[in-house]
Amino acid sequence: YCGLRIGTISMPFIQSLSLGIFSLPITVFWFVLVINAINLVDGLDGLAAGIGLFVCLTMLFICAPHSGMITATLAFACLAGCLLGFLRYNFNPATIFMGDSGSYFIGYSLAALSIAGSIKGQVATAMLIPVIAMGVPLFDALWAPLRRFVLGKRMFMPDMKHFHHNLVRMGYTQRRAVLFLYSVTIVLGLGAIMLVHARDDTAAFIMTIMGLGVIFMARYLGIPESISMGKLLSWAQDISDEAGISHDRRRFLNHQLQIAKAGNLDELWSAVCQSLADLEFDTAEFISTLQGNHPSKQEYSWNRSVDGMGVETDKNYLLKIELPLHRENGNNPYKYGTLLLIKDMYNTQTSQYTLKRVEHLRRTMVSSLEKIHP
């Protein structure tokens, strides 16, 4: 309301981007992020106050040379002095504690002053410099809900797996853990100061080095193997397959459509066999048991062939799946038959989506059988 807005964002080699109507929501998000980041990092004696102190000193050195930043410079100096005096009694072993209201105040002040003290230069904009200076708490605050989401936990449920907690579990004392994170914050602060006076190519180089450092530190500070880049890429591949973007998924979907269009059992089985050939199953049997006034039994079989020759299977490595085909209709279920699939797991490739494809195949067959024999 008083005019503190994040109006533009720019990066090296990228022109300034005006946020327009998104200025207000992004500004609110920035305040909420910084407030919570400082609160989350307040897990060890002196950690939040010390990080706040070094961020203030970084912004102080950046704003001081600019005559138009006198108010922001004095504000950063005042906040730094308050934090320094408080840190005298808050460092381990602490005799006073800031509590949530104290960490919220520090976060709110840093969020507001970082916008007021923004400098427009070649790479320094309203957000880039304070984001780098507050890298430790911001990265921890952004990573925490993502980590919980990937691990299947509630995104905003508190835990003891923040960076400072991981350092203590690694054998660091509270003092050593705090001093270590102090040093990381100082290095990031020096990098932010260098960016203010760097050209675009130099700034890009500095940011690349910082990015590599962040990746290394993230691994060192306890990102588990279950959230490695390979796992994340596999997760993205699952999303791509589920959305039908991958080629295999689209080809299998085409087979599904052919099964759904079948007008009789012969057409149905022909389409099913094409789908099973793509999935590299070796043998399949379909025993159709039709109920009603005139029950009947029909059997279909299929064997995969390569270049017109049958495929030999290793009996010691066979995957056998027996699928009941029935309509789930409350108290009136209807049995259509059974589908038996056999696949040589040793001599053929098995995708991680094979079993999922088989379940989709079963459901499509049931839907088609409902139309053929309602």
Side-chain angles (χ1 to χ4, degrees), residues 60-369:
L60 176 62
F61 281 111
I62 291 174
C63 295
H66 300 269
S67 58
M69 298 289 179
I70 296 178
T71 302
T73 302
L74 292 176
F76 277 121
C78 290
L79 184 58
C82 294
L83 291 172
L84 182 61
F86 180 81
L87 192 59
R88 167 65 179 81
Y89 303 97
N90 184 239
F91 195 74
N92 184 269
T95 55
I96 58 176
F97 306 92
M98 65 175 63
D100 286 344
S101 59
S103 61
Y104 288 164
F105 171 75
I106 296 173
Y108 181 86
S109 300
L110 290 177
L113 294 176
S114 62
I115 298 176
S118 63
I119 302 170
K120 294 183 179 180
Q122 290 175 316
V123 297
T125 62
M127 301 310 305
L128 183 58
I129 298 304
V131 164
I132 295 175
M134 288 185 279
V136 172
L138 291 183
F139 187 80
D140 193 23
L142 292 172
W143 173 246
L146 178 61
R147 178 190 68 239
R148 296 163 189 159
F149 173 77
V150 172
L151 295 178
K153 300 179 180 179
R154 294 183 179 179
M155 293 180 62
F156 301 104
M157 177 177 289
D159 57 24
M160 299 290 288
K161 294 185 178 181
H162 295 286
F163 292 155
H164 48 279
H165 295 140
N166 292 336
L167 287 173
V168 173
R169 275 193 294 271
M170 291 167 57
Y172 283 68
T173 63
Q174 284 203 27
R175 283 196 172 197
R176 283 189 60 197
V178 170
L179 292 175
F180 177 82
L181 294 176
Y182 281 179
S183 64
V184 175
T185 303
I186 292 173
V187 170
L188 291 175
L190 293 175
I193 294 173
M194 293 172 60
L195 280 175
V196 175
H197 306 286
R199 296 179 179 271
D200 279 350
D201 52 352
T202 305
F205 174 75
I206 294 173
M207 293 183 67
T208 301
I209 296 300
M210 286 186 173
L212 295 175
V214 167
I215 295 174
F216 172 78
M217 292 306 303
R219 296 295 303 170
Y220 181 73
L221 291 176
I223 292 183
E225 291 294 334
S226 57
I227 317 179
S228 62
M229 184 58 66
K231 297 292 185 181
L232 293 177
L233 290 176
S234 177
W235 183 52
Q237 186 178 359
D238 289 342
I239 296 177
S240 172
D241 185 79
E242 194 67 29
I245 299 176
S246 65
H247 175 69
D248 290 342
R249 173 62 169 160
R250 286 182 281 114
R251 187 170 59 184
F252 182 76
L253 178 59
N254 180 53
H255 293 314
Q256 300 275 87
L257 294 175
Q258 297 304 315
I259 295 173
K261 293 178 181 178
N264 54 58
L265 290 182
D266 292 335
E267 294 179 1
L268 171 67
W269 183 241
S270 177
V272 169
C273 292
Q274 293 180 18
S275 181
L276 294 175
D278 263 2
L279 296 176
E280 295 191 353
F281 276 90
D282 298 296
T283 304
E285 292 183 6
F286 172 40
I287 303 174
S288 173
T289 306
L290 302 179
Q291 300 174 340
N293 298 327
H294 303 284
S296 63
K297 182 178 180 180
Q298 294 179 266
E299 296 186 10
Y300 296 85
S301 63
W302 169 83
N303 291 289
R304 185 168 67 95
S305 62
V306 178
D307 298 329
M309 302 293 293
V311 178
E312 295 184 1
T313 59
D314 189 333
K315 296 182 179 180
N316 296 319
Y317 294 92
L318 295 182
L319 169 67
K320 298 181 180 180
I321 304 175
E322 186 173 351
L323 299 171
L325 304 175
H326 64 283
R327 178 177 62 196
E328 299 176 0
N329 189 17
N331 297 326
N332 186 29
Y334 192 99
K335 299 178 181 179
Y336 295 105
T338 304
L339 178 66
L340 175 64
L341 306 176
I342 299 177
K343 180 180 178 65
D344 186 346
M345 298 287 287
Y346 185 78
N347 294 315
T348 59
Q349 295 182 352
T350 302
S351 167
Q352 59 181 332
Y353 307 112
T354 297
L355 294 180
K356 182 185 293 186
R357 300 277 196 270
V358 169
E359 173 58 19
H360 286 313
L361 176 64
R362 185 193 70 83
R363 295 185 182 186
T364 307
M365 287 186 66
V366 171
S367 299
S368 183
L369 287 168

